[in-house]
Amino acid sequence: MENFTGKIAVITGAGSGIGRELALALARDGANVALIDINEDTADITAERCRAQSSDGGRFTVHQCDVTVAEEVSAAATEVLAQHRSNHVNLLFNNAGIGLTESFLNGDREVWERTFDVCWGGVYLCSRAFVPLLVASDEGHLINTASINGFWATVGPHRPHTAYSAAKFAVKGFSEALINDFRLNAPHVGVSVVMPGHIGTDIVINSMMVHGGEADPEMTEIGNAFRTLAPTTAAQAATIILD
């Protein structure tokens, strides 16, 4: 897809990081964007910035949604069609994700499963809800965000990283398998999988919040250090994805 003007894009995790930067880049390129995030306040900020960036008065809608809950995802899909006055979408960015290292053997099962459910289950449920809407378009594309941890299931020898890595391997395999599935059953729809390395975002702090905690000063310091050390910014990553 070379021209985004007038296209309808759906982005999960649109309230910050890569999701926000994708939305801003698409706004500048004339797209209409549905912003999905568990945090409605941050998604509202993204929407305001998109309106400021848009040159032709694009439509930017906000949809509060937990991507691990099928009913909420289905409701968000219905809202998107209604608010964009359409029977289809053109782009789906399955971008929502959380992190934090967690041991399968010694870690908290609820934390492990929450990480896996967001990073893989969110991709699966949103694909179930929105891929039929891509198929209903005359030109569609699915973009799934995996991770370098979908190649290497480690963040070093002293930190277990099983939930996030397992989820990102699943995203990569799902995306690759869809290439042939789309070729056979929906040849006008493309699929891409993105495998970013360390990106300067708020994923550490956001992950703490989603896991039910608060971003304490220590975690804020870690998050700031992560953003400083990351070789690629969220804006650069969004540009790479769209290119």
Coordinates of all heavy atoms in Angstrom, one line a residue, residues 13-85:
G13 N -2.9 -0.2 21.1 CA -1.8 0.4 21.8 C -1.4 1.8 21.3 O -0.3 2.2 21.2
A14 N -2.5 2.5 20.9 CA -2.3 3.8 20.2 C -2.0 5.0 21.2 O -1.8 6.1 20.7 CB -3.5 4.1 19.3
G15 N -2.1 4.7 22.5 CA -2.0 5.8 23.4 C -0.5 6.3 23.7 O -0.3 7.3 24.3
S16 N 0.5 5.5 23.2 CA 1.8 5.9 23.5 C 2.8 5.1 22.6 O 2.3 4.3 21.8 CB 2.2 5.6 25.0 OG 2.1 4.2 25.2
G17 N 4.1 5.5 22.7 CA 5.1 4.7 22.0 C 4.9 4.6 20.5 O 4.5 5.6 19.8
I18 N 5.2 3.4 20.0 CA 5.1 3.2 18.5 C 3.7 3.4 18.0 O 3.5 4.0 16.9 CB 5.6 1.8 18.2 CG1 7.1 1.6 18.5 CG2 5.3 1.4 16.7 CD1 7.6 0.2 18.3
G19 N 2.7 3.0 18.8 CA 1.3 3.2 18.4 C 0.9 4.6 18.1 O 0.3 5.0 17.1
R20 N 1.4 5.5 19.1 CA 1.1 6.9 18.9 C 1.8 7.5 17.7 O 1.3 8.3 16.9 CB 1.5 7.7 20.1 CG 1.4 9.2 20.0 CD 1.7 9.9 21.3 NE 0.6 9.8 22.2 CZ 0.6 10.2 23.5 NH1 1.7 10.8 24.0 NH2 -0.4 10.0 24.3
E21 N 3.1 7.1 17.5 CA 3.9 7.6 16.4 C 3.3 7.1 15.0 O 3.4 7.8 14.0 CB 5.3 7.3 16.5 CG 6.0 7.9 17.7 CD 6.0 9.5 17.7 OE1 5.9 10.0 16.6 OE2 6.1 10.1 18.8
L22 N 2.8 5.9 15.0 CA 2.2 5.4 13.8 C 1.0 6.3 13.4 O 0.7 6.6 12.3 CB 1.7 3.9 14.0 CG 2.8 2.9 13.9 CD1 2.2 1.5 14.4 CD2 3.3 2.7 12.4
A23 N 0.2 6.6 14.5 CA -1.0 7.4 14.2 C -0.7 8.8 13.7 O -1.3 9.3 12.8 CB -1.8 7.5 15.6
L24 N 0.4 9.4 14.3 CA 0.8 10.7 13.8 C 1.3 10.7 12.4 O 1.0 11.6 11.6 CB 1.9 11.3 14.7 CG 1.4 11.6 16.2 CD1 2.6 11.9 17.0 CD2 0.4 12.7 16.2
A25 N 2.1 9.7 12.1 CA 2.6 9.5 10.7 C 1.4 9.3 9.7 O 1.4 9.9 8.6 CB 3.6 8.4 10.6
L26 N 0.5 8.5 10.1 CA -0.7 8.2 9.2 C -1.5 9.5 9.0 O -2.1 9.8 8.0 CB -1.5 7.1 9.7 CG -0.9 5.7 9.5 CD1 -1.6 4.7 10.5 CD2 -1.0 5.3 8.1
A27 N -1.7 10.3 10.1 CA -2.4 11.5 10.1 C -1.8 12.5 9.1 O -2.5 13.1 8.3 CB -2.5 12.2 11.4
R28 N -0.5 12.6 9.1 CA 0.2 13.4 8.2 C 0.1 13.0 6.7 O 0.1 13.8 5.8 CB 1.7 13.5 8.5 CG 2.0 14.3 9.8 CD 3.5 14.5 10.0 NE 4.2 13.3 10.2 CZ 4.5 12.8 11.4 NH1 4.0 13.4 12.5 NH2 5.2 11.7 11.6
D29 N -0.1 11.6 6.5 CA -0.3 11.1 5.2 C -1.8 11.0 4.7 O -2.1 10.4 3.7 CB 0.3 9.7 5.1 CG 1.9 9.8 5.1 OD1 2.4 10.9 4.7 OD2 2.5 8.8 5.3
G30 N -2.7 11.6 5.5 CA -4.0 11.7 5.1 C -5.0 10.6 5.4 O -6.1 10.5 4.9
A31 N -4.5 9.7 6.3 CA -5.4 8.6 6.7 C -6.4 9.0 7.8 O -6.2 10.0 8.5 CB -4.5 7.4 7.2
N32 N -7.4 8.2 7.9 CA -8.4 8.3 9.1 C -8.0 7.1 10.0 O -7.7 6.0 9.6 CB -9.8 8.1 8.6 CG -10.2 9.1 7.6 OD1 -10.2 10.3 7.8 ND2 -10.6 8.6 6.4
V33 N -7.9 7.4 11.3 CA -7.3 6.5 12.3 C -8.3 6.2 13.5 O -8.8 7.1 14.1 CB -6.0 7.0 12.8 CG1 -5.3 5.9 13.6 CG2 -5.1 7.4 11.6
A34 N -8.5 4.9 13.7 CA -9.2 4.5 14.9 C -8.1 4.1 16.0 O -7.3 3.2 15.7 CB -10.1 3.3 14.6
L35 N -8.1 4.8 17.1 CA -7.1 4.6 18.1 C -7.7 3.7 19.3 O -8.6 4.1 20.0 CB -6.7 6.0 18.7 CG -6.3 7.0 17.6 CD1 -6.4 8.4 18.2 CD2 -5.0 6.7 17.0
I36 N -7.1 2.6 19.4 CA -7.5 1.6 20.5 C -6.5 1.5 21.6 O -5.3 1.3 21.3 CB -7.8 0.2 19.9 CG1 -9.0 0.3 18.9 CG2 -8.0 -0.8 21.0 CD1 -9.3 -1.0 18.2
D37 N -6.9 1.7 22.8 CA -6.0 1.6 23.9 C -6.8 1.3 25.2 O -7.9 1.7 25.3 CB -5.2 2.9 24.1 CG -3.9 2.6 24.8 OD1 -3.9 2.5 26.1 OD2 -2.8 2.6 24.2
I38 N -6.1 0.6 26.1 CA -6.8 0.4 27.4 C -6.9 1.7 28.2 O -7.8 1.8 29.1 CB -6.0 -0.7 28.2 CG1 -6.9 -1.3 29.4 CG2 -4.7 -0.2 28.7 CD1 -6.3 -2.5 30.0
N39 N -6.0 2.6 27.9 CA -6.0 3.9 28.6 C -6.6 5.0 27.7 O -6.0 5.4 26.8 CB -4.5 4.3 29.0 CG -4.5 5.5 29.9 OD1 -5.3 6.4 29.8 ND2 -3.4 5.6 30.7
E40 N -7.8 5.3 28.0 CA -8.5 6.3 27.1 C -7.9 7.7 27.1 O -7.9 8.4 26.1 CB -10.0 6.4 27.5 CG -10.9 7.2 26.6 CD -12.3 7.1 27.0 OE1 -12.7 6.6 28.1 OE2 -13.2 7.5 26.1
D41 N -7.4 8.1 28.3 CA -6.8 9.4 28.4 C -5.6 9.6 27.5 O -5.5 10.6 26.8 CB -6.4 9.7 29.9 CG -7.5 9.8 30.8 OD1 -8.6 10.1 30.3 OD2 -7.3 9.6 32.0
T42 N -4.7 8.6 27.4 CA -3.5 8.7 26.6 C -3.9 8.6 25.1 O -3.3 9.3 24.2 CB -2.5 7.7 26.9 OG1 -3.0 6.3 26.8 CG2 -1.9 7.8 28.3
A43 N -5.0 7.8 24.8 CA -5.5 7.7 23.4 C -6.1 9.1 23.0 O -5.9 9.5 21.8 CB -6.5 6.6 23.3
D44 N -6.7 9.7 23.9 CA -7.3 11.1 23.6 C -6.2 12.1 23.3 O -6.4 12.9 22.3 CB -8.1 11.6 24.8 CG -9.5 11.0 25.0 OD1 -10.0 10.5 24.0 OD2 -10.0 11.0 26.1
I45 N -5.1 12.0 24.0 CA -3.9 12.9 23.6 C -3.4 12.6 22.2 O -3.1 13.5 21.5 CB -2.8 12.7 24.7 CG1 -3.3 13.2 26.1 CG2 -1.6 13.4 24.3 CD1 -2.3 12.9 27.2
T46 N -3.3 11.3 21.9 CA -2.9 10.9 20.6 C -3.9 11.5 19.5 O -3.4 12.0 18.5 CB -2.8 9.4 20.4 OG1 -1.9 8.8 21.3 CG2 -2.4 9.0 19.0
A47 N -5.1 11.4 19.8 CA -6.1 11.9 18.8 C -6.0 13.4 18.6 O -6.1 13.9 17.5 CB -7.5 11.6 19.3
E48 N -5.8 14.1 19.7 CA -5.6 15.6 19.6 C -4.4 15.9 18.8 O -4.4 16.8 17.9 CB -5.4 16.2 21.0 CG -6.7 16.2 21.9 CD -6.5 16.6 23.3 OE1 -5.3 17.1 23.6 OE2 -7.4 16.5 24.1
R49 N -3.3 15.2 19.0 CA -2.1 15.5 18.2 C -2.3 15.1 16.7 O -1.7 15.8 15.8 CB -0.9 14.7 18.8 CG -0.5 15.2 20.2 CD 0.7 14.5 20.8 NE 1.0 14.9 22.1 CZ 2.0 14.5 22.9 NH1 2.8 13.5 22.4 NH2 2.2 14.9 24.1
C50 N -3.0 14.0 16.5 CA -3.3 13.7 15.1 C -4.1 14.8 14.4 O -3.8 15.1 13.2 CB -4.1 12.4 15.1 SG -3.1 10.9 15.4
R51 N -5.1 15.3 15.1 CA -5.9 16.4 14.4 C -5.0 17.6 14.1 O -5.2 18.3 13.1 CB -7.0 16.8 15.4 CG -8.0 15.7 15.6 CD -9.2 16.1 16.4 NE -10.1 14.9 16.7 CZ -10.1 14.3 17.9 NH1 -9.4 14.7 18.9 NH2 -10.9 13.2 18.0
A52 N -4.0 17.8 15.0 CA -3.1 19.0 14.7 C -2.2 18.7 13.5 O -1.8 19.6 12.8 CB -2.3 19.3 16.0
Q53 N -1.9 17.4 13.3 CA -1.0 17.0 12.2 C -1.7 16.8 10.9 O -1.1 17.0 9.9 CB -0.3 15.7 12.6 CG 0.7 15.7 13.8 CD 2.0 16.3 13.4 OE1 2.4 16.3 12.3 NE2 2.7 16.8 14.4
S54 N -3.0 16.5 10.9 CA -3.7 16.2 9.7 C -3.9 17.5 8.9 O -4.3 18.5 9.3 CB -5.1 15.6 10.1 OG -5.8 15.4 8.9
S55 N -3.6 17.3 7.6 CA -3.7 18.4 6.7 C -5.1 18.5 6.0 O -5.4 19.6 5.4 CB -2.6 18.3 5.6 OG -2.8 17.1 4.8
D56 N -5.9 17.5 6.1 CA -7.2 17.5 5.4 C -8.3 17.1 6.3 O -9.4 16.6 5.8 CB -7.1 16.6 4.2 CG -6.8 15.1 4.6 OD1 -6.5 14.9 5.8 OD2 -6.8 14.3 3.7
G57 N -8.2 17.4 7.6 CA -9.4 17.1 8.5 C -9.7 15.7 8.6 O -10.9 15.4 8.5
G58 N -8.8 14.8 8.7 CA -9.1 13.4 8.9 C -9.9 13.1 10.1 O -10.0 13.9 11.0
R59 N -10.4 11.9 10.1 CA -11.2 11.4 11.3 C -10.4 10.6 12.2 O -9.8 9.6 11.8 CB -12.4 10.6 10.8 CG -13.4 10.2 11.9 CD -14.6 9.4 11.3 NE -15.3 10.1 10.2 CZ -16.4 10.9 10.5 NH1 -16.8 11.0 11.7 NH2 -17.0 11.5 9.5
F60 N -10.4 11.0 13.5 CA -9.6 10.3 14.5 C -10.4 9.9 15.7 O -10.9 10.8 16.4 CB -8.4 11.1 14.9 CG -7.5 11.5 13.7 CD1 -7.7 12.8 13.2 CD2 -6.7 10.7 13.1 CE1 -7.0 13.2 12.1 CE2 -5.9 11.1 12.0 CZ -6.1 12.3 11.5
T61 N -10.7 8.7 15.9 CA -11.6 8.2 16.9 C -10.9 7.4 18.0 O -9.9 6.7 17.7 CB -12.8 7.3 16.3 OG1 -12.2 6.2 15.6 CG2 -13.6 8.1 15.3
V62 N -11.4 7.5 19.2 CA -10.8 6.8 20.3 C -11.7 5.7 20.8 O -12.9 5.9 21.0 CB -10.5 7.8 21.5 CG1 -10.1 7.1 22.7 CG2 -9.5 8.8 21.0
H63 N -11.2 4.5 21.1 CA -11.9 3.4 21.5 C -11.2 2.7 22.7 O -10.2 2.1 22.5 CB -12.1 2.4 20.4 CG -12.6 3.0 19.1 ND1 -13.9 3.2 18.8 CD2 -11.9 3.6 18.1 CE1 -14.0 3.8 17.6 NE2 -12.8 4.1 17.2
Q64 N -11.8 2.9 23.9 CA -11.2 2.3 25.1 C -11.4 0.8 25.0 O -12.6 0.3 24.9 CB -11.8 2.9 26.3 CG -11.0 2.6 27.6 CD -11.3 1.2 28.2 OE1 -12.4 0.7 28.0 NE2 -10.4 0.6 28.9
C65 N -10.4 -0.1 25.1 CA -10.6 -1.5 24.9 C -9.4 -2.3 25.6 O -8.3 -1.9 25.4 CB -10.7 -1.8 23.4 SG -10.7 -3.5 23.0
D66 N -9.8 -3.3 26.3 CA -8.8 -4.3 26.7 C -8.7 -5.4 25.6 O -9.7 -6.1 25.4 CB -9.2 -4.9 28.1 CG -8.2 -5.9 28.6 OD1 -7.4 -6.5 27.9 OD2 -8.3 -6.1 29.9
V67 N -7.6 -5.5 25.0 CA -7.5 -6.4 23.8 C -7.5 -7.8 24.2 O -7.6 -8.7 23.3 CB -6.2 -6.1 23.0 CG1 -6.3 -4.7 22.4 CG2 -4.9 -6.3 23.8
T68 N -7.5 -8.1 25.5 CA -7.6 -9.5 25.9 C -9.0 -10.0 26.2 O -9.3 -11.2 26.5 CB -6.8 -9.8 27.2 OG1 -7.4 -9.2 28.3 CG2 -5.4 -9.2 27.1
V69 N -10.0 -9.1 26.0 CA -11.4 -9.4 26.3 C -12.1 -9.4 24.9 O -12.3 -8.3 24.3 CB -12.0 -8.4 27.3 CG1 -13.5 -8.7 27.5 CG2 -11.2 -8.4 28.6
A70 N -12.6 -10.6 24.5 CA -13.2 -10.7 23.2 C -14.4 -9.8 23.0 O -14.6 -9.2 21.9 CB -13.6 -12.1 23.0
E71 N -15.2 -9.6 24.1 CA -16.4 -8.8 23.9 C -16.0 -7.3 23.7 O -16.7 -6.6 23.0 CB -17.3 -8.9 25.2 CG -17.9 -10.3 25.4 CD -16.9 -11.3 25.9 OE1 -15.8 -10.9 26.4 OE2 -17.3 -12.5 26.0
E72 N -15.0 -6.9 24.4 CA -14.6 -5.5 24.2 C -14.0 -5.2 22.8 O -14.2 -4.2 22.2 CB -13.5 -5.1 25.3 CG -14.1 -5.0 26.7 CD -13.2 -4.4 27.7 OE1 -12.2 -3.7 27.3 OE2 -13.4 -4.7 28.9
V73 N -13.2 -6.2 22.3 CA -12.7 -6.1 21.0 C -13.8 -6.0 20.0 O -13.8 -5.2 19.0 CB -11.7 -7.2 20.7 CG1 -11.2 -7.2 19.3 CG2 -10.5 -7.2 21.7
S74 N -14.8 -6.9 20.1 CA -15.9 -6.9 19.2 C -16.7 -5.6 19.2 O -17.0 -5.1 18.2 CB -16.8 -8.1 19.5 OG -17.9 -8.1 18.7
A75 N -16.9 -5.1 20.4 CA -17.6 -3.8 20.5 C -16.7 -2.7 19.9 O -17.3 -1.8 19.3 CB -17.8 -3.5 22.0
A76 N -15.4 -2.7 20.0 CA -14.6 -1.7 19.4 C -14.7 -1.8 17.9 O -14.8 -0.7 17.3 CB -13.1 -1.9 19.9
A77 N -14.7 -3.0 17.4 CA -14.9 -3.1 15.9 C -16.2 -2.5 15.4 O -16.2 -1.8 14.4 CB -14.8 -4.6 15.5
T78 N -17.2 -2.7 16.2 CA -18.5 -2.2 15.8 C -18.5 -0.7 15.9 O -19.0 0.0 15.0 CB -19.6 -2.7 16.7 OG1 -19.7 -4.2 16.6 CG2 -21.0 -2.1 16.4
E79 N -17.9 -0.1 16.9 CA -17.7 1.3 17.1 C -16.9 1.9 15.9 O -17.3 3.0 15.4 CB -17.0 1.7 18.4 CG -17.8 1.5 19.6 CD -17.0 1.8 20.9 OE1 -15.9 2.3 20.7 OE2 -17.5 1.6 22.0
V80 N -15.9 1.3 15.5 CA -15.0 1.8 14.5 C -15.8 2.0 13.2 O -15.8 3.0 12.5 CB -13.8 0.9 14.2 CG1 -13.1 1.3 12.9 CG2 -12.8 1.0 15.4
L81 N -16.6 0.9 12.8 CA -17.4 1.0 11.6 C -18.4 2.1 11.7 O -18.6 2.9 10.7 CB -18.1 -0.3 11.3 CG -17.2 -1.5 11.0 CD1 -18.1 -2.7 10.7 CD2 -16.3 -1.2 9.8
A82 N -19.1 2.2 12.8 CA -20.1 3.3 13.0 C -19.5 4.7 12.9 O -20.0 5.5 12.2 CB -20.8 3.0 14.3
Q83 N -18.4 4.9 13.6 CA -17.9 6.2 13.7 C -17.1 6.6 12.5 O -17.0 7.8 12.2 CB -17.0 6.3 15.0 CG -17.8 6.2 16.3 CD -16.9 6.4 17.5 OE1 -15.9 7.1 17.5 NE2 -17.3 5.8 18.6
H84 N -16.7 5.7 11.7 CA -16.0 6.0 10.4 C -16.9 5.8 9.2 O -16.5 6.0 8.1 CB -14.7 5.1 10.3 CG -13.6 5.6 11.2 ND1 -12.6 6.4 10.7 CD2 -13.4 5.3 12.5 CE1 -11.8 6.6 11.7 NE2 -12.2 6.0 12.8
R85 N -18.2 5.5 9.5 CA -19.2 5.4 8.5 C -18.8 4.5 7.4 O -18.8 4.9 6.2 CB -19.6 6.8 8.0 CG -20.1 7.7 9.1 CD -20.2 9.1 8.7 NE -20.5 10.0 9.8 CZ -20.5 11.3 9.8 NH1 -20.1 11.9 8.7 NH2 -20.7 12.0 10.9

